[in-house]
């Protein structure tokens, strides 16, 4: 791998609105950061208006999140919050072949050129270990940007055979943070593992995410996490006319065949819980 200090800097694509960089994504001292998962510029504006420190951008939130388009990254970056972009080329498991890893490395470069402050990546081996070679390749693609870029390991870690052992590998890979529920169905049930990850991965920000509700935040921050991640979502009201028929495998009913939007009430409640913890 080429030494980063000797790599030529490459200018970002012209006319891309980069409203905030990784160096600017610093929450106020004394409290963990608040990250909100969004799928649109409208969601990013809700997050900004109600106190989020940054957003994670994806599409297909109901599928666990997929890589957004370059145009969507540009539009969300223009809102003003630092944007962490999920790079995941398909739904399903996190065991990726060489072609998928190459595709995601290209997607990493694309979303960074479009204004992302960071990327959210991950991969596992078939036996449930962290795929360090794949993660290192994706991180290297991010660090080739010629500007500071954050790299987060996504919740693939929660499907690994030993999430705490996987977290211990992250400092050597040069990752910024890890998004995790502590290997539990919801982060509020993984407090002991989250605390163990904080100890196992010095220098890596452990961010609690997965089924987080504002009421969970005091216990999560007590476990020592550096950030809290919420989707803060609700289903959008359908705006269809006429009759409904299923158009895909996920269209089980007219009520469920919709999409998610960011709920301002949940974002505000999460901010309030973090502020209370910082002053308590």
């Amino acid at each position: 791998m080429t030494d980063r200090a000797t790599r030529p800097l490459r200018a970002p694509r012209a006319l891309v609105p980069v409203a905030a960089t990784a160096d600017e994504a610093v929450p106020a001292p004394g409290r963990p950061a608040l990250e909100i998962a969004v799928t649109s510029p409208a969601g990013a504006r809700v997050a900004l208006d109600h106190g989020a420190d940054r957003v994670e951008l994806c599409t297909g939130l109901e599928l666990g999140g997929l890589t957004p388009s370059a145009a969507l990254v540009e539009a969300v970056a223009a809102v003003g919050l630092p944007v962490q972009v999920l790079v995941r080329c398909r739904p399903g498991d996190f065991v990726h072949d060489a072609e998928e890893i190459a595709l995601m490395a290209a997607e990493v470069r694309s979303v960074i050129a479009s204004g992302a402050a960071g990327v959210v990546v991950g991969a596992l081996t078939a036996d449930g270990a962290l795929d360090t070679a794949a993660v290192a390749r994706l991180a290297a693609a991010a660090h080739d940007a010629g500007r500071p870029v954050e790299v987060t390991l996504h919740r693939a870690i929660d499907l690994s055979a030993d999430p705490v052992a996987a977290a211990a590998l992250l400092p050597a890979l040069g990752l910024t943070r890890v998004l995790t529920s502590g290997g539990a169905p919801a982060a509020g049930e993984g407090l002991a593992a989250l605390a163990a990850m904080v100890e196992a991965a010095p220098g890596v920000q452990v961010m609690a995410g997965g089924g987080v509700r504002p009421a969970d935040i005091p216990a999560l921050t007590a476990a020592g996490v550096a950030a809290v991640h919420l989707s803060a979502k609700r289903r959008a009201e359908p705006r269809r006319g006429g009759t409904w028929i299923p158009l895909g495998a996920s269209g089980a009913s007219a009520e469920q065949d919709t999409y998610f939007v960011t709920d301002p009430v949940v974002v505000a409640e999460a901010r309030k819980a973090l502020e209370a913890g910082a002053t308590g």
Side-chain angles (χ1 to χ4, degrees):
M1 186 180 300
T2 304
D3 189 295
R4 287 178 60 195
T6 64
R7 291 175 183 159
L9 298 182
R10 289 183 282 183
R13 190 174 65 192
L15 301 180
V16 172
V18 182
T21 67
D23 283 348
E24 295 167 339
V26 180
R31 66 160 174 80
L34 175 61
E35 179 177 287
I36 301 297
V38 303
T39 60
S40 68
R45 287 191 293 272
V46 169
L48 174 64
D49 291 345
H50 293 85
D53 295 296
R54 59 178 180 257
V55 295
E56 182 198 45
L57 174 65
C58 67
T59 60
L61 197 57
E62 66 279 5
L63 300 173
L66 299 171
T67 309
S69 70
L72 180 54
V73 176
E74 291 181 11
V76 172
V79 171
L81 282 176
V83 183
Q84 308 295 315
V85 176
L86 178 66
V87 174
R88 183 183 178 214
C89 64
R90 58 160 175 78
D93 63 47
F94 297 105
V95 181
H96 295 286
D97 61 28
E99 185 174 41
E100 290 174 333
I101 295 299
L103 172 60
M104 289 190 290
E107 289 181 325
V108 164
R109 297 185 184 95
S110 174
V111 301
I112 291 172
S114 299
V119 292
V120 185
V121 299
L124 299 177
T125 64
D127 61 359
L130 184 68
D131 189 339
T132 55
V135 172
R137 181 175 178 184
L138 297 172
H143 292 314
D144 266 343
R147 61 176 172 86
V149 175
E150 299 180 315
V151 182
T152 299
L153 179 69
H154 58 48
R155 292 194 62 206
I157 194 169
D158 293 325
L159 277 70
S160 67
D162 187 338
V164 176
L169 301 173
L170 301 184
L173 293 172
L175 268 67
T176 307
R177 70 178 61 88
V178 55
L179 170 61
T180 175
S181 64
E189 302 168 24
L191 298 176
L194 288 168
M197 287 180 171
V198 172
E199 294 296 322
V204 175
Q205 300 171 15
V206 176
M207 177 166 60
V212 173
R213 301 165 300 173
D216 300 321
I217 288 177
L220 294 171
T221 57
V225 301
V228 177
H229 169 105
L230 295 83
S231 59
K233 64 182 183 292
R234 60 175 173 80
R235 287 192 180 274
E237 291 296 326
R239 294 179 291 186
R240 67 178 65 88
T243 59
W244 175 85
I245 58 171
L247 298 177
S250 64
S253 69
E255 292 73 23
Q256 293 182 2
D257 189 11
T258 180
Y259 60 98
F260 291 110
V261 295
T262 306
D263 190 330
V265 173
V266 178
V267 179
E269 288 177 350
R271 161 56 68 212
K272 183 177 179 181
L274 282 170
E275 295 295 348
T279 59

